[in-house]
Amino acid sequence: MGLTKQYLRYVSSAVFGVIGSQKANIAYVTLRGGERGRYVAVAACEHVFIWDVRKGEKVLILQGLKHEVTFICASPDGVHVAVGYEDGAVRIFSLISRESNVSFNGHKSAVSVMNFDNLGARLVTGSKDTDVIVWDMINECGLYRLRGHKDAVTQALFLSDRNLLITCSKDSFVKWWDLDTQHCFKTLVGHRSEVWGLVLLNQERRLLTGSADSELRAWDVDFLQEEKAAGEPKVKKGKTLLDDEDDEAENVEDDDEERILRCKKVGSILREARDRVVSLTTDAKARILVCHGNDSVMEVFTVLSDDELQKKRSKKLKKAKKKMNKTEETAEPEVEMTLKDEIVRLTNIKASGKIRSVDCLSCAGAELKVALLLQNNTVETYSLKSSEQKPTANKTARLTLGGHRTDVRTLSFSSDNMAVLSASGDTVKVWNRSTLQVVRTMACEYALCSLFVPGDRQIVLGTKSGKLQIFELASGSLLETVEAHSGAVWSLCLSPDQRGLITGSADKTVKFWEFELAKDQGSAQKRLTMKHTRTLQLEEDVLCVRFSPDHRLLAASLLDCTVKVFYTDTLKFFLSLYGHKLPVLCLDISHDSTIIATGSADRNVKIWGLDFGDCHRSMFAHDDSVMYLQFVPKTHLFFTAGKDKKIKQWDADKFELIQTLEGHHREVWCLSVSPNGDHLVTASHDKSLRLWERTREPIILEEEREMEREAEFEESMAKEEMPVVPGETRGEAAPAGKKTVETVKAAERIMEALEIFKEENRKLEEHRYACGHEGKQVKLRLLSPNPILVAFGNVSVSSATDFPTVELEVSLLVLPFPYVPELLKLFNTYIQQGLEVELICRCLFFLLKIHFGQISSNQMLLSVINELRTNTLHKVQEIRDLMGFNKAALQFLQREIESKEDVMFFAEATGRLQEKKRRRRKRERAILTIA
């Protein structure tokens, strides 16, 4: 048997270079009891980063799993953060333990909005799958799913003192939901295009919506139940409903709508921006309104209270009376307050780039803090005094150091494996690989390729304008800019003797350069420069150039889909490698100069021999263009990066795929392998840099293929439709759960546990029968234990089936009916023993609901159901009595504490009364002195 080749696994080590992803929003959070407005949470691909904006440091990372974060919402208790993902999952993180113990799966596509109620006991989520789901945070389960929208949900808000929910969507509708009956009782249809946001103002009496135009539409909300309770007639702007028959004819409303509330449009506010509303939000008290579009300007409004409106009305009335006195009119002046008087523009904040998301926070001293997430990977914070007439916004922080403003187009490792170079359209950064901190940041032109000069003290960049820029790392300064080409420099390659480099450009030339030390005039020190020595003229644009490690050959890929190979010394033509259908974007030569691998925009990778130019193998590598290719040093293994978001490792000898590295959420532009092959760094359109590390874990290719097939099967299983609950029609309300791989596995564990339970009971009966009447004294340890329970660590059947309560109902829905009778008998035993009564009742009621017909028609189960009814009522009454007793005791303790506090309160009130009398006497003395 021949020796097998061993491959080692590369795993993701870190994500860096991203400050805030563009798919999610920004949110203020409170950390460790710190001051308000100091910490902000932003998405970073699949993770959530929490930044200290005062220090500009990353203080906490909430680790994600696989899918990208799409929404972040902080809980009112300040301890938890809800994070929504692209696959529709929602995870609840604790800012204290930094872990997620609760996960909700209900949506089929990305979560687009989330909001907590005032107490933080319920969470509403909206998704691109058009569904709205309400989750119970205390029981950690889904309450119900609300269907009705026809497009992605853009906002969902609980009303504070009523069990109502309001949602808006891209289908141009705003819907009001009654959560008691779980149905939509009112739909607002006054928008001509998508509704992108809504807020509630004036103690939820005013609704403001933002659409695809420059108007913010305002609606008056009248809760009719309150009007009936107060004995008032239904009034519409000074008219009763009896006098308003014409209006009723124009706006016909259902009886069901009129029973709860009435919504009427009262006007609109014009924004300065002309494009759609991207974010529309308020502070916690709904006194400050903030909105912005796709541009860099954010508009800030203040909402006047009733007292402030009354003062404004009084001032207007006085002015009107003075004006009438001058004209000697006798009629009483009338003053009408418009929407512009109620919602007043404070100021505009101009950000340094286009705004992606905004969050605002009111602090002490009428200070407003605003956090902006920009589309260029930047976070900015502003502060302004909302009490001033014309406040000016002051920029308090700007987070830019930890990432690039534009996509990273080139990467390079230093020779000691410790430094990573990344360059984008405006800056070049050097990172410490071990700490992932930025060592140097230097401004540059649009970089396309880069490398470290031998010695790692200087770097060379090839730019889109055809220049070569030389930077010194010690001082972070630009040493020289060389006008190298008339077109973009697409590729750089260091010569094997490390004395120079070659450049390939869009001007159809390959140029040879040598490093030199030159002395500037008036300076004794020498600096690095480059001298042009030779030029190779070609027929097409040069996309990539590489030296063979033995310095014998030079390979250049051209725009005509071929790769030309030349002798380095004479520049004579040697080979032409043709076969790709689209241009070759990348190539590399192995360490022994025997193999050349090429990657093309036709999605294929071809492996060629450098002795005769024969094609050893053509492999379909990626689902989109192959953007970069590089061999692992001293091996015939190579990595490829593609626009399909994947990085793949290949064996050039056996022509096999070794492993696929998934993690990036956008196109992968470039990669770089460290000189020792232990590390790999990749850059993507999602603004992130990812570091991959080689482990000591070997890869077995057969197992890798098997794992890939299992993953595909699990994905297809999760996409299957949920089983239909008997008796339920597809209406507005539906169960909140979703069939996932976890729920299917949980159902399998329930079935397995029931089989074990039946087997153990059978063994016990056989043992007792064999031992006769003495079997009662025989210890159960004489029986052989079940191997599955031993594998779990000698746990019981009940603990072997423990799984999150979120998956409970869906798991029972997937469970086949033949297992239900045995489960009902088991429930009866558990309830008699008083074990997990609340959980058992929940499972019992759900099973009775979905299998009512089969259970009620089964004569064998009637006795079990009767026993369950008796035992359940008895045990539930016991628990209710116990809870009532405890509640009465706690109320007694509360009254005792309050009675003690009342004494202290009255003592404090007496002191305040004396202080008030003293101030009054002082004021009276001052008046007498003036008189």
Side-chain angles (χ1 to χ4, degrees):
M1 181 178 175
L3 291 174
T4 58
K5 204 168 188 177
Q6 189 181 45
Y7 307 110
L8 297 180
R9 186 180 301 278
Y10 282 80
V11 297
S12 178
S13 174
V15 179
F16 62 105
V18 57
I19 296 173
S21 295
Q22 307 309 304
K23 264 209 168 181
N25 60 320
I26 186 171
Y28 274 111
V29 295
T30 306
L31 205 61
R32 293 190 292 270
E35 65 176 284
R36 299 181 69 204
R38 181 170 178 176
Y39 302 101
V40 294
V42 293
C45 297
E46 69 270 22
H47 307 306
V48 174
F49 288 171
I50 296 181
W51 293 88
D52 184 343
V53 293
R54 179 181 292 180
K55 293 182 179 179
E57 295 177 354
K58 192 190 308 173
V59 295
L60 186 61
I61 300 177
L62 304 178
Q63 296 282 347
L65 297 176
K66 179 181 177 182
H67 296 278
E68 197 172 6
V69 175
T70 56
F71 204 87
I72 302 170
C73 182
S75 173
D77 60 9
V79 178
H80 296 93
V81 173
V83 182
Y85 294 89
E86 199 171 23
D87 64 337
V90 177
R91 299 176 70 197
I92 311 298
F93 287 89
S94 170
L95 294 177
I96 299 174
S97 64
R98 307 184 180 190
E99 293 179 355
S100 169
N101 297 322
V102 183
S103 180
F104 298 133
N105 278 296
H107 293 292
K108 295 180 181 177
S109 56
V111 176
S112 56
V113 65
M114 291 190 295
N115 262 309
F116 286 92
D117 64 358
N118 279 353
L119 299 176
R122 291 180 300 175
L123 174 71
V124 59
T125 60
S127 168
K128 288 184 178 179
D129 63 4
T130 75
D131 288 348
V132 176
I133 301 179
V134 180
W135 306 92
D136 187 345
M137 295 293 297
I138 298 172
N139 290 327
E140 299 177 3
C141 65
L143 294 177
Y144 34 79
R145 181 192 304 268
L146 303 174
R147 297 192 180 111
H149 286 294
K150 304 299 181 186
D151 208 335
V153 181
T154 54
Q155 185 60 283
L157 293 174
F158 286 105
L159 270 69
S160 59
D161 54 352
R162 294 171 183 83
N163 199 21
L164 302 178
L165 178 73
I166 180 171
T167 61
C168 63
S169 167
K170 288 169 69 176
D171 61 4
S172 78
F173 297 143
V174 176
K175 288 182 177 289
W176 292 83
W177 305 83
D178 186 350
L179 298 184
D180 292 326
T181 58
Q182 297 151 30
H183 82 288
C184 173
F185 64 88
K186 190 173 187 65
T187 301
L188 299 182
V189 293
H191 301 87
R192 297 178 181 176
S193 56
E194 301 98 335
V195 183
W196 291 99
L198 61 84
V199 290
L200 289 166
L201 308 173
N202 287 351
Q203 299 174 349
E204 300 177 347
R205 301 284 180 165
R206 173 65 49 79
L207 172 67
L208 206 66
T209 59
S211 185
D213 50 21
S214 59
E215 289 186 26
L216 296 179
R217 293 170 175 81
W219 311 74
D220 265 345
V221 182
D222 297 326
F223 295 98
L224 304 181
Q225 291 173 350
E226 292 181 0
E227 293 180 4
K228 291 175 183 177
E232 298 174 359
K234 298 178 183 178
V235 178
K236 288 189 177 181
K237 294 294 179 182
K239 296 183 290 182
T240 63
L241 286 179
L242 297 174
D243 301 326
D244 200 18
E245 294 178 358
D246 295 336
D247 289 349
E248 285 293 332
E250 292 176 5
N251 188 16
V252 178
E253 295 180 332
D254 297 332
D255 295 337
D256 198 22
E257 297 175 1
E258 287 293 325
R259 227 184 342 258
I260 301 176
L261 60 83
R262 181 172 55 242
C263 219
K264 183 177 181 182
K265 187 177 178 182
V266 293
S268 60
I269 300 172
L270 283 176
R271 300 187 299 122
E272 290 186 357
R274 296 300 176 191
D275 54 353
R276 76 170 180 91
V277 171
V278 175
S279 293
L280 183 65
T281 184
T282 63
D283 63 341
K285 296 180 180 178
R287 293 298 308 277
I288 300 295
L289 173 69
V290 174
C291 72
H292 70 88
N294 279 315
D295 54 5
S296 59
V297 177
M298 183 186 67
E299 301 175 54
V300 184
F301 300 87
T302 181
V303 183
L304 300 184
S305 63
D306 292 339
D307 295 337
E308 291 169 335
L309 274 174
Q310 192 61 36
K311 288 179 183 178
K312 202 167 186 180
R313 181 185 176 86
S314 300
K315 287 182 180 178
K316 281 192 171 185
L317 197 59
K318 284 181 182 178
K319 288 182 180 179
K321 283 182 179 179
K322 285 182 182 179
K323 194 173 181 180
M324 291 187 71
N325 288 337
K326 290 180 181 178
T327 57
E328 298 181 356
E329 294 182 13
T330 57
E332 186 69 22
E334 290 185 3
V335 175
E336 290 187 3
M337 301 299 291
T338 62
L339 193 63
K340 290 183 179 179
D341 295 323
E342 181 185 341
I343 302 175
V344 182
R345 185 186 301 273
L346 268 183
T347 185
N348 289 351
I349 297 177
K350 174 76 172 176
S352 60
K354 291 184 177 180
I355 303 172
R356 165 60 185 86
S357 176
V358 61
D359 194 17
C360 60
L361 188 67
S362 291
C363 301
E367 182 187 9
L368 178 69
K369 292 184 177 180
V370 181
L372 303 177
L373 173 63
L374 306 185
Q375 292 184 11
N376 60 359
N377 198 25
T378 305
V379 171
E380 292 182 350
T381 59
Y382 292 84
S383 173
L384 58 93
K385 291 285 185 181
S386 58
S387 59
E388 298 176 2
Q389 285 288 342
K390 290 185 178 181
T392 56
N394 300 315
K395 187 184 291 186
T396 54
R398 188 166 186 257
L399 305 179
T400 58
L401 187 63
H404 290 273
R405 309 285 73 74
T406 56
D407 291 0
V408 173
R409 303 309 298 243
T410 174
L411 291 166
S412 183
F413 259 103
S414 62
S415 60
D416 59 358
N417 310 288
M418 288 304 296
V420 178
L421 163 70
S422 64
S424 66
D426 54 357
T427 54
V428 53
K429 291 178 181 285
V430 179
W431 309 77
N432 186 320
R433 181 190 54 77
S434 56
T435 63
L436 302 179
Q437 297 297 314
V438 179
V439 180
R440 284 282 181 272
T441 300
M442 298 159 283
C444 67
E445 295 187 20
Y446 198 114
L448 297 174
C449 49
S450 63
L451 57 81
F452 277 90
V453 176
D456 298 334
R457 295 183 180 181
Q458 296 88 14
I459 59 173
V460 179
L461 298 182
T463 67
K464 196 173 183 180
S465 60
K467 299 174 184 175
L468 292 178
Q469 292 186 312
I470 307 173
F471 292 88
E472 187 176 27
L473 296 183
S475 61
S477 60
L478 176 64
L479 292 180
E480 187 180 5
T481 299
V482 181
E483 297 285 346
H485 293 271
S486 58
V489 180
W490 288 111
S491 182
L492 287 174
C493 183
L494 190 67
S495 63
D497 58 6
Q498 299 190 343
R499 294 183 179 180
L501 55 86
I502 54 172
T503 58
S505 170
D507 64 359
K508 306 178 183 179
T509 59
V510 174
K511 292 189 177 181
F512 292 72
W513 306 82
E514 287 185 358
F515 296 124
E516 282 188 349
L517 291 176
K519 189 182 292 186
D520 290 331
Q521 294 181 353
S523 175
Q525 292 183 346
K526 292 183 178 181
R527 62 171 178 82
L528 182 73
T529 185
M530 291 190 299
K531 178 185 176 183
H532 178 220
T533 56
R534 291 188 295 173
T535 300
L536 174 62
Q537 186 68 43
L538 296 168
E539 298 82 15
E540 296 287 342
D541 293 7
V542 180
L543 300 180
C544 188
V545 290
R546 286 292 182 271
F547 274 120
S548 63
D550 59 4
H551 208 179
R552 187 174 70 93
L553 300 173
L554 163 70
S557 67
L558 305 181
L559 200 60
D560 61 0
C561 311
T562 63
V563 176
K564 307 290 189 195
V565 183
F566 299 88
Y567 290 102
T568 305
D569 49 1
T570 61
L571 297 184
K572 286 186 177 180
F573 175 75
F574 175 49
L575 293 171
S576 178
L577 311 178
Y578 55 91
H580 283 290
K581 298 176 182 177
L582 290 173
V584 176
L585 303 178
C586 50
L587 62 90
D588 200 13
I589 301 175
S590 63
H591 70 286
D592 53 5
S593 304
T594 58
I595 296 174
I596 179 171
T598 59
S600 167
D602 62 6
R603 304 177 290 178
N604 291 317
V605 167
K606 292 182 184 290
I607 300 171
W608 316 76
L610 267 181
D611 43 6
F612 302 109
D614 55 325
C615 180
H616 293 176
R617 185 65 63 91
S618 178
M619 299 178 293
F620 183 79
H622 290 269
D623 295 330
D624 209 330
S625 301
V626 182
M627 299 303 296
Y628 209 87
L629 185 150
Q630 187 176 351
F631 274 96
V632 179
K634 300 179 181 178
T635 67
H636 279 187
L637 310 179
F638 64 91
F639 284 96
T640 59
K643 278 189 176 182
D644 60 354
K645 315 173 191 176
K646 296 176 182 177
I647 300 105
K648 296 185 179 182
Q649 188 183 18
W650 307 82
D651 187 343
D653 292 330
K654 295 188 175 181
F655 317 117
E656 286 182 327
L657 172 64
I658 300 171
Q659 63 175 328
T660 302
L661 304 179
E662 295 184 358
H664 284 293
H665 303 283
R666 297 290 183 279
E667 300 92 335
V668 184
W669 297 128
C670 54
L671 62 85
S672 180
V673 184
S674 62
N676 59 6
D678 286 342
H679 295 92
L680 168 75
V681 64
T682 57
S684 168
H685 184 47
D686 60 13
K687 300 287 196 303
S688 69
L689 302 175
R690 288 181 181 264
L691 184 65
W692 311 81
E693 188 174 351
R694 185 163 62 185
T695 62
R696 307 311 300 170
E697 178 190 354
I699 293 178
I700 300 171
L701 296 182
E702 291 78 8
E703 289 184 3
E704 286 293 303
R705 302 294 92 80
E706 183 66 27
M707 287 167 61
E708 289 176 5
R709 286 191 290 270
E710 284 180 4
E712 289 178 4
F713 172 72
E714 289 178 356
E715 284 182 9
S716 63
M717 188 166 53
K719 290 178 182 177
E720 292 176 4
E721 289 294 325
M722 277 271 293
V724 179
V725 179
E728 282 198 3
T729 58
R730 183 175 173 84
E732 291 178 339
K738 181 184 76 170
K739 183 180 177 181
T740 61
V741 178
E742 286 74 19
T743 58
V744 175
K745 288 180 179 178
E748 290 173 354
R749 283 161 60 190
I750 293 174
M751 291 187 282
E752 190 176 25
L754 288 172
E755 293 289 348
I756 295 171
F757 177 74
K758 288 164 64 177
E759 184 182 348
E760 292 296 309
N761 273 350
R762 183 181 55 78
K763 283 183 182 179
L764 187 60
E765 291 297 326
E766 289 177 358
H767 191 72
R768 283 177 176 170
Y769 181 77
C771 296
H773 296 290
E774 296 179 358
K776 295 180 181 178
Q777 285 85 31
V778 176
K779 293 185 179 179
L780 295 180
R781 61 182 173 82
L782 295 176
L783 297 173
S784 58
N786 191 283
I788 297 178
L789 297 181
V790 173
F792 273 105
N794 289 324
V795 298
S796 64
V797 176
S798 60
S799 59
T801 58
D802 285 343
F803 48 84
T805 56
V806 183
E807 304 166 1
L808 184 62
E809 290 187 355
V810 184
S811 303
L812 293 174
L813 191 60
V814 176
L815 189 70
F817 180 75
Y819 290 92
V820 173
E822 200 68 35
L823 197 58
L824 293 178
K825 295 174 184 176
L826 198 58
F827 284 170
N828 194 18
T829 308
Y830 270 60
I831 287 179
Q832 286 177 353
Q833 297 173 0
L835 300 173
E836 300 283 354
V837 176
E838 186 181 349
L839 180 63
I840 294 298
C841 287
R842 185 177 156 201
C843 297
L844 174 62
F845 298 152
F846 185 75
L847 286 175
L848 290 174
K849 178 183 175 183
I850 63 176
H851 298 297
F852 178 76
Q854 290 171 292
I855 291 174
S856 59
S857 61
N858 192 334
Q859 296 293 326
M860 303 291 292
L861 290 177
L862 287 181
S863 59
V864 179
I865 295 298
N866 281 329
E867 285 184 25
L868 274 170
R869 181 174 62 84
T870 307
N871 295 332
T872 303
L873 290 174
H874 176 65
K875 285 296 179 182
V876 169
Q877 188 61 43
E878 281 185 6
I879 293 175
R880 289 181 66 183
D881 293 343
L882 180 63
M883 291 180 67
F885 181 83
N886 291 339
K887 183 180 178 182
L890 290 172
Q891 287 174 347
F892 172 74
L893 290 175
Q894 182 184 7
R895 287 194 297 270
E896 288 288 317
I897 294 170
E898 284 179 350
S899 63
K900 292 178 182 178
E901 287 183 350
D902 283 343
V903 176
M904 297 171 62
F905 173 76
F906 285 124
E908 187 180 356
T910 307
R912 287 182 181 174
L913 184 62
Q914 291 174 354
E915 178 69 13
K916 197 173 182 181
K917 287 181 179 178
R918 189 177 62 79
R919 289 180 180 174
R920 188 184 298 165
R921 289 194 210 103
K922 189 175 180 181
R923 200 182 306 117
E924 289 173 354
R925 288 195 204 102
I927 293 170
L928 289 172
T929 305
I930 293 170

